[in-house]
Structure formats: C-alpha cells, structure tokens
Amino acid sequence: MALTIGGLAWFVATTAGAAPDPARGEYVFHMSGCASCHTAEGGAFLAGGRRLMTPFGAFLVPNITPDRATGIGGWSEADLVRAMTEGVSPTGGHYYPSFPYTSYTRMRRSDIADLKAYLDTVPAVRNAVGPHEMGFPFSVRLGNFFWKLLFFSPGEFVPDPAHDDEWNRGAYLVNGPGHCGECHTPRNILGGLDRDRALAGATLPEGDGGKVPSLRGLDWSVEDFVWAFETGLLPDGDALGSSMADVITENTSKLTAGDRRAIAVYLKSLPKPAAD
Amino acid sequence: MRISFNRRAGFIAACTALAFGLGAVGAIAQDVVQQRKDLMKSYGAAMKVIGDAVKAGGTLDAAAIADKAAIVRNNATKIVALFPAGSTSAGALPAIWEKPDEFKDWAMKLGTAAAALDQAARDNKLGDGKALVGAVGGTCVGCHKVFQKPAS
C-alpha cells in the first residue's frame, strides 16, 4: 500500500512541469481510451472511419493519425488542448459531444501535451473520413454551441482535499481521461449527461442501446474492481464483453497496478444514488 | 375407397410424425440452449474459485487451481457444438453462426489458456497467478465482445 502511494507520488511528481514526452503520452493514451473509437474494426490504427450509430444520426469517427491531409498532422499542441477541453476544432467549429470533451476537459493540460507528443509518433495514415450523417435539426453544427451552454461545464479536475491522493487519482482517471460517465451516466433527451446520477447506469448511447450497469454502490471489494480491470473477470466468474471488452484489453489492463487500484478505491467509495 | 383411406391415414400419420418431429426439434433446440448456458456457467464457476484465490493473494492452493483449470480445459471446445444452426437465444449474437471459424478459434484459445494455467499449477509455477488467469479471462472477454449480445 505504502509502495503504491509512493509510486503514485513519484508518477505525479515526474509528470508535472516536464517537457511533453511521448512515452508518458502513450500511457495517457491508454488512460483515455482513444483507440476504442478512433480505430475502426479491421482498420488502420487511429485512422478513423468507424460509424457510431446513435439516435441522433451516424457519427463518423475522424482520423487522428499525423497525416496532414486527412488526419491531425497539422495540429499544434494548443489545437489538441482546445479540442479536448473546449470541444472546439482548430477552425473554430463546435464538436458534437460524441467526442467526449465533456470528460476530457477535466484532464491535466500536461497529460494532453504528453498525449500530443505520443500521437505525433504513430504512423500517418491517409484515410479521408466523410462528414457525420445527421438528420435535421441535429445536422446544424451551430446547435452544439447552444448544447454546450446547457450541458457542458469546462474545467480541469480539482482534487477534493477531503480525500487522499489515491482517491483523487481515481476520481481524475474515471471522470477525466477514462470518460467512464460517457456510457455509465444516463443522458437526457438532448444527450446531456445527468450529473445527479453520475455513473448510476444508463442505456448505451451507441449501437443497439444495450444496458450499461451502474458503478455506484456495488457490492464489490476493491480487489474485485482491480481484478475486473486487469482480467475482465467479474466477481461471479462471468466475463465482461460488448464495448467494455476493449476498455479492459486496451485501457485498464495497460494501466499501472497503482492506477487500477486508485480507480477501484474511488468507485468503491461511491454510494448508491438516492432512489427515484 | 380403400386406397383413398390409406392415403388419408398416411397423410395423418405423416402429419403426426411431422408434428412430433417438430416438437422434438424444438425440444432439442431448447435443450441445447440450456446445455450451453450450463456449460458457460461451469466455466464461470471455475473462474470464480480461481479468481477468488488469486485476489486473496498469499500462497496459492495449486491443486485446487489445477482442478478448476482442468474443468475449463477439458470442456472449452464443447461449447462449439452447442450452437447448431437455428438455435438462436437472447444472449447470442448472429455472428456465432456467421463466423463459425472465429467462434471455434476462440473456444480453442480458451482451451489453450486453461491448459497453460492447469500445467503451471501442476508444476507449481503459478507465481501470483495473475498473468496466467488473465490470459484465460482475456479469451472470455475477447469472445464475448464478438459473440455475446449485451443485456438490454
């Protein structure tokens, strides 16, 4: 335990105020689950093209390889920070919240800088992805501006001094880069997240609308959470699947044991939401 | 008249046989769905015992782990035959019947991973067990991703 906290303190200390580093950025990449959407099934790494089918229309996930013509090779670090924390493109367009900037806005700016350094190192792939296929009125991109006024609260994660570093690290990973709430928190009719019922279970916003379980008030030990993040196996011996399969294999299993534990400690602390 | 009666009797007999036949096929389909659920549960029950042991840490009971790993190893590929054409069920995606080779491949991977765990346990080379059990879990997750329909 002391070792875990020590490791965590070391990790935090070494990531603060240093020059952007692609190796750390690769770790941030695993924290952030970018590949789940930006790599299409059978497609080139991060070259986009996956279709996210939602009640609002089909979102075509963009290419985020460093290809200058069809990817984000022309972006500066500030462009990526702005996209991820404000939901605004380099040309000033407002992104649809299918891109989870609503969560990424909580990320440390140094983490995003590291992520940019890593993304610059992946192979550039020329793959032009077409525009989203949205019906009216959702096709009007300016609507995202108003959507943000209603449902977007920008701002970096602020640690809660009432809790220790481990809990705060978990809260950061879950609510920032991990963007767990984008699927586990219910949405209102306009797709805004119902923050009062954060992580209380929802309907999958994409695909066939499967049920996403609550992460609050689970009768799981910290070890049960850690085990599930590491192996995909649940306390009853069943295994995760669906969209959570990639989260396990591409994200949580690639985190440090300390980070898995921090997420577990944070989730374990969340009470059941008040009955409604 | 006699011929016609025989024809009618034959027709009725054929219908009766067909009805019983369809009933039997239906019963078999039901049976096979129950059998595969039971088989999946047997994997899960074994993985729970193994998972609980590894989660608890400390010295692992290698014999108990080998015992459970052997259940998964010996039964891993039996799952394939329990998804005959047309035996749809709520938790199964059509991909099972569209990509039978991939489904079979996952079943074989499960068997291989469980065999490695079993062998390591019998050789007393489990270590903390996490990597070996994680490899088995990885095949469960990988297969569920493609072939299991999420709860709705």
Side-chain angles (χ1 to χ4, degrees):
Chain A
M1 186 69 178
L3 264 178
T4 313
I5 304 279
L8 193 67
W10 172 84
F11 186 78
V12 171
T14 51
T15 52
D21 177 70
R24 282 201 311 264
E26 185 173 10
Y27 189 79
V28 174
F29 174 77
H30 294 313
M31 294 178 350
S32 309
C34 316
S36 300
C37 286
H38 285 282
T39 302
E41 198 72 43
F45 184 57
L46 300 184
R50 190 180 150 188
R51 299 169 96 82
L52 295 178
M53 306 301 292
T54 78
F56 306 104
F59 292 101
L60 274 80
V61 182
N63 178 345
I64 58 167
T65 71
D67 183 58
R68 292 189 80 86
T70 62
I72 61 169
W75 287 29
S76 67
E77 182 187 306
D79 286 337
L80 187 66
V81 169
R82 192 166 175 229
M84 291 182 70
T85 64
E86 298 173 37
V88 175
S89 78
T91 54
H94 292 279
Y95 287 123
Y96 287 93
S98 48
F99 173 42
Y101 62 83
T102 39
S103 296
Y104 291 155
T105 188
R106 305 276 174 264
M107 287 177 75
R108 264 196 229 106
R109 299 328 181 225
S110 61
D111 275 352
I112 299 177
D114 288 336
L115 178 63
K116 176 68 166 70
Y118 167 69
L119 289 176
D120 286 344
T121 70
V122 310
V125 177
R126 183 141 303 193
N127 181 37
V129 177
H132 299 324
E133 293 158 6
M134 317 286 292
F136 185 81
F138 303 115
S139 54
V140 181
R141 202 172 261 273
L142 185 63
N144 291 328
F145 172 76
F146 295 100
W147 188 93
K148 284 173 162 178
L149 293 180
L150 289 170
F151 304 121
F152 178 43
S153 66
E156 199 168 332
F157 174 75
V158 180
D160 180 347
H163 292 279
D164 65 10
D165 288 350
E166 189 177 43
W167 185 96
N168 275 301
R169 175 72 179 166
Y172 171 69
L173 290 167
V174 166
N175 298 303
H179 66 281
C180 309
E182 301 290 337
C183 288
H184 285 276
T185 298
R187 291 173 188 271
N188 61 32
I189 195 165
L190 288 174
L193 292 167
D194 179 359
R195 305 277 177 195
D196 294 339
R197 298 181 54 76
L199 304 175
T203 303
L204 200 65
E206 183 251 335
D208 59 2
K211 215 169 140 189
V212 185
S214 172
L215 301 176
R216 304 187 67 106
L218 289 181
D219 184 22
W220 290 21
S221 67
V222 167
E223 286 70 26
D224 287 337
F225 279 106
V226 169
W227 184 245
F229 297 146
E230 198 170 0
T231 65
L233 293 168
L234 300 167
D236 67 356
D238 196 358
L240 289 162
S242 184
S243 41
M244 204 50 201
D246 283 340
V247 176
I248 299 297
T249 53
E250 299 304 318
N251 308 128
T252 59
S253 68
K254 294 187 174 173
L255 299 181
T256 62
D259 273 353
R260 275 194 291 272
R261 196 174 173 85
I263 296 171
V265 164
Y266 170 70
L267 291 178
K268 172 81 183 154
S269 78
L270 300 177
K272 266 202 171 76
D276 50 359
Chain B
M1 190 66 189
R2 189 182 165 88
I3 290 166
S4 140
F5 172 79
N6 275 352
R7 273 192 186 156
R8 187 185 290 168
F11 179 70
I12 291 170
C15 287
T16 310
L18 187 64
F20 277 124
L22 285 176
V25 167
I28 288 165
Q30 278 307 304
D31 207 35
V32 100
V33 169
Q34 191 55 50
Q35 280 175 32
R36 68 200 189 204
K37 279 184 182 166
D38 291 345
L39 186 59
M40 289 282 186
K41 281 190 179 138
S42 77
Y43 301 156
M47 294 315 291
K48 175 177 164 51
V49 173
I50 295 169
D52 285 348
V54 176
K55 275 184 266 184
T59 311
L60 294 170
D61 180 349
I65 288 180
D67 190 37
K68 297 299 175 191
I71 293 175
V72 181
R73 182 200 68 197
N74 293 336
N75 298 303
T77 54
K78 288 184 185 165
I79 198 74
V80 178
L82 297 180
F83 286 89
S87 66
T88 54
S89 58
L93 286 173
I96 289 185
W97 297 281
E98 292 161 6
K99 299 191 270 187
D101 290 345
E102 189 182 340
F103 184 55
K104 193 176 164 191
D105 196 42
W106 278 112
M108 291 177 69
K109 281 182 191 162
L110 174 66
T112 306
L117 175 63
D118 181 26
Q119 190 62 47
R122 283 187 285 136
D123 294 347
N124 250 317
K125 286 180 182 164
L126 279 174
D128 66 6
K130 286 182 181 174
L132 286 156
V133 185
V136 180
T139 64
C140 304
V141 169
C143 189
H144 281 191
K145 178 192 162 184
V146 188
F147 297 112
Q148 184 192 39
K149 192 169 180 198
S152 53

